[in-house]
Amino acid sequence: MATSLASQLSGPKSAISFSSPPHFSGLRPSSNFKLDNTHSFFQNVDSHKGCRPVVSMAGSGKFFVGGNWKCNGTKDSISKLVSDLNSAKLESDVDVVVAPPFLYIDQVKSSLTDRIEISGQNCWTGKGGAFTGEISVEQLKDIGCKWVILGHSERRHVIGENDEFIGKKAAYALSQNVGVIACIGELLEEREAGKTFDVCFNQLKAFADALPSWDDVVIAYEPVWAIGTGKVASPEQAQEVHAAVRDWLSKNVSAEVASKTRIIYGGSVNGGNSSDLAKKEDIDGFLVGGASLKGPEFATIINSVTSKKVAA
């Protein structure tokens, strides 16, 4: 199982307690924020639905599911996982990506079905060189990676990467034709303080300021308090943030980018909750942690795309 992020965090900034599931009435304190324009806000988002009439998605992109294996696995356990994925029956209308530890990318690439693409978990800000311990985008491409995960909360809050640094990585990856899974999300104390939108929008702005294009970018909303803790945002909580992110893209980038950019959810996604989450129109897929280490369960999450299908 993946190590809980909560158990890794240290210091006063990261003193997060997960002793009981958090309950939230909204994203900002009611004393200074009220979503009075909820109806018109969601009417604006609904305008994108016509792009895919047989699927309940606000965006026009294909459902996307990524598996972040983090720092887990051995040669033997990964061989078993790959075997399970190769034998799984997966829905055709889903883009599937897995991100093995760097050491095992070649093993996975040489044995995994071409149906599933490979991602790196991190990359450097530019071309390789005298950067001990880093991985360049060129090396990821050379070994067969089509994607890279950037801005994950464990890189932000454990390793200490800031928004500008992450933006530089994303820009360079895209310049080398490697797709970016761009992660955003708030800490528990930020949500409780009503700062969810502020945090997510600031992280989005750092990407927007750096990116040459939003082509080949997937946004992953991952509330930090839900990563590796077993606690998951309710479908309504996740939908509220996803819709707000799409609205931010529409207002600050373009309506076209807002429509075509896939916004996926991550944070203790599993085979039991993925179906309900997938029903929400602004949830365009998932970035999965611990559950992606179990082939049959990961397949269930991938196939939750069927929950989106509605009568034409």
Side-chain angles (χ1 to χ4, degrees):
M1 293 293 292
T3 304
S4 167
L5 173 60
S7 68
Q8 298 180 41
L9 298 173
S10 59
K13 250 185 102 176
S14 304
I16 305 173
S17 172
F18 295 101
S19 56
S20 60
H23 296 283
F24 308 108
S25 58
L27 301 180
R28 300 175 190 261
S30 57
S31 60
N32 59 21
F33 177 83
K34 186 176 181 182
L35 197 58
D36 290 323
N37 60 337
T38 303
H39 181 67
S40 60
F41 173 76
F42 284 101
Q43 273 187 327
N44 290 337
V45 173
D46 282 348
S47 66
H48 302 301
K49 287 189 352 183
C51 299
R52 297 188 70 196
V54 297
V55 178
S56 178
M57 289 176 72
S60 58
K62 196 174 184 181
F63 202 71
F64 185 104
V65 177
N68 181 9
W69 297 357
K70 305 188 181 184
C71 190
N72 292 292
T74 62
K75 287 193 294 184
D76 288 344
S77 68
I78 285 175
S79 291
K80 173 64 165 62
L81 178 53
V82 167
S83 176
D84 288 343
L85 293 175
N86 286 342
S87 61
K89 296 187 74 171
L90 305 179
E91 291 289 320
S92 61
D93 51 348
V94 186
D95 286 335
V96 185
V97 175
V98 294
F102 291 119
L103 284 171
Y104 303 118
I105 289 176
D106 192 48
Q107 175 187 348
V108 174
K109 179 62 180 174
S110 64
S111 57
L112 183 64
T113 172
D114 290 340
R115 168 74 181 81
I116 301 175
E117 293 186 329
I118 309 295
S119 171
Q121 296 182 17
N122 183 38
C123 70
W124 182 236
T125 59
K127 194 172 182 179
F131 306 107
T132 302
E134 286 294 337
I135 304 291
S136 74
V137 176
E138 290 82 359
Q139 289 170 326
L140 291 179
K141 286 180 64 178
D142 185 48
I143 208 166
C145 291
K146 301 288 183 66
W147 296 87
V148 63
I149 299 171
L150 296 173
H152 193 281
S153 66
E154 290 151 6
R155 301 296 306 182
R156 293 179 185 271
H157 301 295
V158 179
I159 308 301
E161 295 181 357
N162 63 32
D163 292 347
E164 183 181 3
F165 186 64
I166 294 163
K168 287 180 179 178
K169 290 183 176 188
Y172 189 73
L174 290 175
S175 77
Q176 300 302 305
N177 300 312
V178 172
V180 171
I181 301 170
C183 301
I184 62 172
E186 81 283 6
L187 295 165
L188 178 61
E189 57 262 36
E190 291 168 336
R191 174 170 274 267
E192 290 180 328
K195 296 180 179 178
T196 294
F197 286 162
D198 294 336
V199 171
C200 291
F201 294 169
N202 284 338
Q203 292 169 349
L204 279 172
K205 185 177 185 301
F207 282 115
D209 288 346
L211 298 185
S213 166
W214 285 84
D215 293 339
D216 301 317
V217 176
V218 171
I219 296 172
Y221 168 60
E222 296 196 298
V224 181
W225 47 270
I227 299 174
T229 64
K231 297 174 176 61
V232 61
S234 70
E236 292 72 26
Q237 287 172 329
Q239 165 63 22
E240 188 173 17
V241 178
H242 282 231
V245 167
R246 201 177 302 282
D247 189 60
W248 187 94
L249 290 173
S250 181
K251 291 175 178 176
N252 294 277
V253 184
S254 74
E256 180 185 7
V257 167
S259 176
K260 73 180 182 181
T261 300
R262 290 171 288 186
I263 306 169
I264 63 177
Y265 172 79
S268 296
V269 176
N270 58 50
N273 58 34
S274 57
S275 178
D276 286 339
L277 287 161
K279 291 175 183 176
K280 296 300 183 180
E281 64 180 332
D282 283 285
I283 296 179
D284 302 326
F286 302 109
L287 184 58
V288 186
S292 69
L293 301 173
K294 306 169 186 175
E297 185 169 12
F298 189 52
T300 296
I301 296 169
I302 293 166
N303 292 336
S304 67
V305 68
T306 58
S307 299
K308 276 206 172 295
K309 295 180 180 178
V310 295

